[in-house]
């Protein structure tokens, strides 16, 4: 029990900290969605306001499968077939036939040797490094890897080093520098979530072969839609089967519920099954999600129609933004960042776009570096061209209001600061 004074102290400490976050314009408000996930959704914002129907440009629902009727039907069937919950971790009594089936299907889809499921990709990243690597090894990570990889590496006793974002010369130097280690592991995202750029996996694999290093890729923002048949960045770069460890999520393109996996070399996956703590000490993935994810794999294995539509939507949206003269990060993934640099400006623009019926979110420190605030737009196969045309009208209207159309970074920073 805290005494009255201690209670006041801790309340004061956090009230002041939260007030500081608010004062800096960095406070995050949740928006309540009164609908299933989709291209158009009902959103209550600010809290207490009547829900409004808006166009959604900020979900990771890349393939538009989050509310697909066949996925829902499969999930319902899975619920009836194998029940609601397992009330157990995998190795005690939490493994059903369909868990192993999903692991086999993912192995086939990702072009690996074996796969192990986790409750999330965050858990996969949290468990994989500690289970496999120790003081004899070094993890050499791109400086922009996802927060869950940073956390996973922290839990591991291996030495840690980084290379400048996508800088292959720097990576080569680091590989040479650590030649005395048992294993050198190159660690990268496949698609970087804030900029939407792709890791240079062809060059990374070539360096790994030259230096006899292992390659780890988190393909959460790629599995299902990057590459000609959606197998992710390894397919895009022609290195399918050459990645030693892939982690990915089912919480984005693959139906968007939750769950993730580690997929890769047989012995590495087997070792995760023995040692990965989120696997040993956390409940099994719910059967209903397993069934839904299996259906998603059916759908995307039958036809590339959805990833093709996503690709053409992305090209069209980039073209519309370029014609309107927004400052857009170049790239080819369906993550299209509109740069605003100033955190408050990003929030103001997002709020005004919402008033115009377009739902986007401003991203700023600590999610991106200071002075790199932006609105991250994300495309979906569920978008129609008419949606994107409506969105660009709203972007132009708001862009004019803030005088940012056709402006360079320096001009925006001069007017709004960093
Ligand atoms: C979203 C994301 C994760 C987390 O996935 P969850 O399954 O939601 O835990 C991990 N890594 C990357 C690169 C991601 O984008």
């Amino acid at each position: 029990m805290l005494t009255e004074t201690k209670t006041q102290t801790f309340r004061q400490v956090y009230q002041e900290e939260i007030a500081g976050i608010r004062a800096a314009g960095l406070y995050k408000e949740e928006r309540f969605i009164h609908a299933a996930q989709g291209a158009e959704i009902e959103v209550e914002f600010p809290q207490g306001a009547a829900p409004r129907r808006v166009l959604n440009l900020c979900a990771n629902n890349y393939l538009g499968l989050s509310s697909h009727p066949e996925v829902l039907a499969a999930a319902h069937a899975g619920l009836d077939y194998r029940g609601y919950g397992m009330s157990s971790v995998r190795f005690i009594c939490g493994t059903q036939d369909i868990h192993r089936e999903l692991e086999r299907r993912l192995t086939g889809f990702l072009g690996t040797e074996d796969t192990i499921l986790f409750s999330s990709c965050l858990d996969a990243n949290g468990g994989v490094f500690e289970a496999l690597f120790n003081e004899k090894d070094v993890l050499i990570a791109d400086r922009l890897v996802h927060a869950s990889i940073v956390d996973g590496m922290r839990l591991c006793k291996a030495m840690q080093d980084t290379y400048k974002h996508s800088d292959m010369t720097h990576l080569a130097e680091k590989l040479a520098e650590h030649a005395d280690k048992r294993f050198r592991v190159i660690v990268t995202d496949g698609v970087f979530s804030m900029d939407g750029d792709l890791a240079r996996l062809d060059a990374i694999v070539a360096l790994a072969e030259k230096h006899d290093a292992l390659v780890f890729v988190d393909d959460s923002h790629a599995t299902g839609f990057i590459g000609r048949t959606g197998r992710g960045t390894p397919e895009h770069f022609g290195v399918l089967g050459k990645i030693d460890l892939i982690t990915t999520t089912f919480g984005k393109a693959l139906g968007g519920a939750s769950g993730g996996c580690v997929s890769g070399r047989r012995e590495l996956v087997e070792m995760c099954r023995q040692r990965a703590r989120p696997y040993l000490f956390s409940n099994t993935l719910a059967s209903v999600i397993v069934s839904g994810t299996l259906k998603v794999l059916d759908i995307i294995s039958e036809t590339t129609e959805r990833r093709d539509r996503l690709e053409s939507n992305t090209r069209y949206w980039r073209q519309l933004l370029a014609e309107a003269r927004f400052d857009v990060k170049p790239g080819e993934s369906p993550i299209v960042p509109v740069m605003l640099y100033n955190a408050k400006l990003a929030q103001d623009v997002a709020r005004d776009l919402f008033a115009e019926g377009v739902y986007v979110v401003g991203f700023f420190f600590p999610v991106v570096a200071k002075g790199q605030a932006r609105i991250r737009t994300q495309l979906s196969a569920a978008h129609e061209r008419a949606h994107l045309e409506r969105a660009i009208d709203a972007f132009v209207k708001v862009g004019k209001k803030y005088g940012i159309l056709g402006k360079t970074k320096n001009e925006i920073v001069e007017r709004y600061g960093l």
Side-chain angles (χ1 to χ4, degrees):
M1 251 290 270
L2 291 165
T3 64
E4 183 132 340
T5 43
K6 268 194 178 163
T7 307
Q8 282 176 349
T9 317
F10 94 75
R11 284 195 195 284
Q12 267 165 12
V13 166
Y14 294 107
Q15 280 169 6
E16 277 165 26
E17 238 172 85
I18 290 164
I21 294 171
R22 278 192 196 280
L26 304 177
Y27 193 85
K28 293 179 188 60
E29 303 265 11
E30 291 180 354
R31 292 118 169 111
F32 300 149
I33 299 174
H34 294 237
Q37 189 61 276
E40 290 186 79
I41 46 178
E42 309 276 333
V43 181
E44 171 189 335
F45 187 72
Q47 286 175 25
R52 294 195 44 214
R53 192 164 182 79
V54 291
L55 176 59
N56 188 358
L57 279 177
C58 58
N60 300 314
N61 183 19
Y62 295 115
L63 294 171
L65 291 171
S66 302
S67 307
H68 189 281
E70 283 182 46
V71 177
L72 295 190
H76 279 291
L79 192 59
D80 294 338
Y81 177 61
R82 287 291 180 262
Y84 175 64
M86 288 304 292
S87 305
S88 170
V89 299
R90 285 287 296 278
F91 86 94
I92 299 178
C93 59
T95 301
Q96 292 171 319
D97 48 357
I98 54 173
H99 288 97
R100 193 57 195 144
E101 186 187 344
L102 178 57
E103 289 173 340
R104 283 204 199 94
R105 290 286 304 281
L106 287 162
T107 302
F109 187 74
L110 297 172
T112 53
E113 296 173 4
D114 199 1
T115 301
I116 170 175
L117 304 178
F118 285 85
S119 301
S120 67
C121 187
L122 181 141
D123 272 347
N125 290 338
V128 62
F129 298 106
E130 195 210 11
L132 297 176
F133 306 114
N134 62 34
E135 297 87 343
K136 299 181 192 132
D137 310 315
V138 60
L139 309 174
I140 307 173
D142 188 290
R143 286 190 185 160
L144 289 190
V145 293
H146 191 259
S148 60
I149 296 178
V150 174
D151 291 355
M153 293 193 300
R154 253 189 227 153
L155 292 171
C156 170
K157 293 196 177 71
M159 183 182 185
Q160 284 173 46
D161 205 344
T162 60
Y163 60 96
K164 288 180 212 155
H165 178 54
S166 280
D167 184 334
M168 294 299 110
T169 310
H170 198 213
L171 172 57
E173 282 168 25
K174 293 291 181 180
L175 286 165
E177 191 181 310
H178 295 294
D180 58 326
K181 292 290 182 189
R182 182 183 66 164
F183 301 131
R184 286 164 287 176
V185 190
I186 304 168
V187 178
T188 184
D189 289 15
V191 172
F192 291 88
S193 56
M194 283 301 139
D195 288 354
D197 56 323
L198 276 57
R200 298 164 61 187
L201 281 196
D202 47 353
I204 287 175
V205 166
L207 277 175
E209 283 173 354
K210 181 171 167 210
H211 292 270
D212 203 17
L214 295 167
V215 181
F216 167 101
V217 178
D218 178 340
D219 232 9
S220 290
H221 280 284
T223 304
F225 54 97
I226 298 287
R228 202 179 50 80
T229 63
R231 286 155 204 271
T233 49
E235 181 178 38
H236 178 90
F237 287 103
V239 293
L240 265 183
K242 295 192 173 175
I243 309 299
D244 302 289
L245 285 164
I246 296 172
T247 59
T248 193
T249 182
F250 318 143
K252 292 188 168 104
L254 302 186
S258 64
C261 67
V262 173
S263 194
R265 304 296 177 199
R266 193 172 299 108
E267 297 78 3
L268 302 181
V269 171
E270 194 174 352
M271 198 63 187
C272 285
R273 237 180 259 284
Q274 300 307 311
R275 291 280 162 80
R277 293 170 71 84
Y279 184 81
L280 296 176
F281 299 114
S282 184
N283 201 17
T284 195
L285 188 64
S287 322
V288 54
I289 295 174
V290 173
S291 304
T293 310
L294 279 166
K295 175 53 76 178
V296 167
L297 289 175
D298 285 344
I299 293 172
I300 65 179
S301 301
E302 259 163 37
T303 162
T304 61
E305 189 204 322
R306 285 177 177 269
R307 56 108 20 234
D308 297 345
R309 195 174 335 132
L310 174 61
E311 196 170 70
S312 75
N313 279 347
T314 301
R315 236 181 278 125
Y316 187 50
W317 178 236
R318 281 193 168 275
Q319 179 198 325
L320 293 175
L321 286 169
E323 284 167 6
R325 298 186 305 141
F326 278 97
D327 180 356
V328 179
K329 284 238 179 209
E332 47 200 329
S333 81
I335 296 171
V336 183
V338 179
M339 299 306 294
L340 295 166
Y341 306 103
N342 175 284
K344 181 161 185 312
L345 177 63
Q347 273 180 312
D348 289 345
V349 169
R351 188 199 53 230
D352 286 13
L353 282 167
F354 187 79
E356 297 296 327
V358 178
Y359 183 13
V360 289
V361 175
F363 285 89
F364 42 85
F365 183 80
V367 179
V368 294
K370 278 198 172 134
Q372 287 291 312
R374 67 196 60 189
I375 282 174
R376 177 179 72 169
T377 61
Q378 290 172 284
L379 283 296
S380 169
H383 290 137
E384 311 279 342
R385 289 208 149 202
H387 286 136
L388 303 180
E389 284 154 11
R390 215 166 82 206
I392 199 66
D393 288 346
F395 265 79
V396 166
K397 184 170 172 192
V398 175
K400 277 186 183 151
K401 172 177 167 185
Y402 289 94
I404 51 180
L405 298 181
K407 292 291 190 284
T408 62
K409 172 181 177 178
N410 285 344
E411 288 166 332
I412 296 173
V413 171
E414 208 165 284
R415 176 155 176 195
Y416 291 98
L418 272 184

